[in-house]
């Protein structure tokens, strides 16, 4: 079995070579080696599967021990000066397009989907967010809090997202919380965040595309140094705090796009990155229907079509 991973230690943006590879079911050590091809797509970790045909336990669960480099392309380490309060660091991951392999070994292609669980330990007072359901938080340790997550629905590698920071939480409704730094919570605009409009958008898209299967739709307002962040991931969306200012026209468009990507991108995914335009095309089609029905009126279709054609011709 091969896992696409950037494992060449001469590249500063990779994780270190993996350690032991075992069959987690019985602890058997599995032979592995790195295919040193120096491919632009990363080197492959090749694992020789055990001969289990005819045995009492014809299953194998591969467990790979590895260490991620702090300068991975997918990990954004913000200094305290880059955050809203200016006192604490912030971590954010962005796996697009093929950066997931730089912080965990995976078959880094949209055609391979998987469920996952994660246990993450962070210093006290820091909060961890993921594109998955939060199961519990263990605060028994005097120095570290341990967060546990589980994504029960298969997702592509680019949809595994993590954020860590000194974040506060506000409940908008039973299925939706908003997370942000305390300084951002002090602004007057966050109290008027359009949670009702988001709920209407989700209900309309369910009628259009089918049931919402992810359980949560939480929102994280990023540090203001990140002016634009567009990523497809379930359970959580990440947006810049600047987008909640003004007349809300752009935040409405952004929310419509993010909601449409829940179905066209996360639930239904293109086979490979060559056809990523299919995700974008369907999400734009859905988001325009959302905007026409919830935010504007029928005439907005003509404007959006002309704007899209103008942008396409400018490429």
């Amino acid at each position: 079995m091969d896992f696409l991973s950037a494992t060449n230690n001469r590249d500063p943006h990779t994780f270190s070579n993996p350690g032991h590879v075992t069959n987690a079911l019985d602890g058997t050590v599995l032979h592995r080696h790195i295919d040193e091809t120096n491919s632009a797509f990363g080197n492959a970790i090749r694992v020789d599967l055990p001969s289990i045909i005819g045995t009492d336990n014809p299953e194998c669960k591969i467990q790979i021990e590895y260490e991620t480099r702090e300068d991975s392309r997918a990990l954004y380490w913000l200094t305290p000066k880059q955050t809203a309060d200016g006192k604490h660091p912030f971590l954010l991951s962005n796996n697009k397009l093929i950066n997931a392999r730089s912080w965990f070994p995976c078959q880094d292609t949209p055609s391979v989907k998987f469920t996952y669980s994660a246990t993450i330990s962070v210093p006290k007072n820091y909060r961890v967010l993921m594109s998955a359901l939060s199961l519990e938080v263990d605060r028994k340790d005097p120095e570290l809090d341990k967060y546990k997550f589980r994504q029960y629905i298969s997702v592509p590698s680019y949809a595994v997202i993590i954020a860590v920071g000194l974040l506060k939480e506000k409940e908008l409704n039973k299925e939706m919380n908003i997370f942000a730094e305390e300084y951002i919570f002090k602004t007057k605009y966050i109290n008027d965040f359009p949670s009702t409009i988001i709920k209407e958008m989700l209900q309309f898209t369910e009628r259009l595309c089918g049931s919402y299967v992810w359980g949560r739709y939480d929102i994280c307002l990023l540090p203001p140094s990140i002016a634009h962040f567009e990523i497809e991931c379930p359970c959580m969306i990440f947006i810049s705090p600047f987008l909640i200012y003004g007349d809300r026209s752009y935040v409405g468009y952004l929310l419509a796009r993010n909601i449409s990507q829940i179905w066209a991108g996360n639930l239904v995914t293109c086979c490979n990155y060559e056809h990523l335009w299919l995700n974008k095309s369907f999400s734009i089609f859905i988001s325009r229907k959302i905007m026409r029905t919830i935010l504007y009126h029928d005439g907005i279709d003509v404007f959006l079509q002309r704007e899209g054609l103008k942008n396409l011709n400018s490429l």
Side-chain angles (χ1 to χ4, degrees), residues 14-181:
T14 64
F15 62 77
S16 301
N17 283 343
H20 289 295
V21 179
T22 59
N23 181 356
L25 298 179
D26 57 16
T28 303
V29 177
L30 303 178
H31 179 265
R32 60 87 181 162
H33 67 278
I34 307 301
D35 186 358
E36 296 286 354
T37 58
N38 295 323
S39 167
F41 297 102
N43 301 325
I45 305 172
R46 301 192 181 277
V47 179
D48 296 336
L49 298 180
S51 178
I52 55 180
I53 298 177
T55 63
D56 294 334
N57 188 14
E59 294 183 358
C60 180
K61 183 178 181 180
I62 297 176
Q63 178 172 296
I64 303 175
E65 296 180 8
Y66 68 95
E67 181 177 334
T68 304
R69 296 173 62 109
E70 63 181 19
D71 50 1
S72 159
R73 283 192 180 99
L75 302 179
Y76 299 167
W77 300 94
L78 275 64
T79 65
K81 291 183 179 180
Q82 293 175 298
T83 63
D85 62 14
K87 299 178 181 179
H88 303 88
F90 191 92
L91 168 65
L92 180 66
S93 68
N94 184 357
N95 294 342
K96 280 195 168 179
L97 288 175
I98 54 172
N99 288 332
R101 68 190 67 176
S102 69
W103 67 290
F104 62 92
C106 60
Q107 293 173 292
D108 198 3
T109 171
S111 61
V112 176
K113 291 186 174 184
F114 51 86
T115 60
Y116 68 90
S117 60
T119 301
I120 303 169
S121 297
V122 295
K124 288 288 186 183
N125 299 322
Y126 281 85
R127 184 185 293 272
V128 182
L129 304 177
M130 285 199 78
S131 53
L133 298 178
S134 178
L135 300 182
E136 64 173 312
V137 183
D138 185 351
R139 306 184 188 276
K140 297 177 182 178
D141 190 287
E143 297 182 357
L144 299 174
D145 288 340
K146 185 180 296 184
Y147 288 77
K148 293 186 178 181
F149 297 90
R150 181 65 189 264
Q151 180 53 262
Y152 295 95
I153 301 172
S154 296
V155 295
S157 54
Y158 63 69
V160 182
I161 305 298
I162 182 175
V164 181
L166 206 69
L167 299 170
K168 303 297 181 182
E169 176 183 4
K170 178 182 178 180
E171 183 180 281
L172 298 179
N173 55 55
K174 292 182 179 180
E175 296 81 25
M176 189 185 309
N177 292 340
I178 187 168
F179 299 88
E181 295 178 81

Side-chain angles (χ1 to χ4, degrees), residues 175-189:
E175 296 81 25
M176 189 185 309
N177 292 340
I178 187 168
F179 299 88
E181 295 178 81
E182 186 174 9
Y183 179 84
I184 297 175
F185 266 114
K186 293 179 180 179
T187 64
K188 64 179 181 180
Y189 298 97

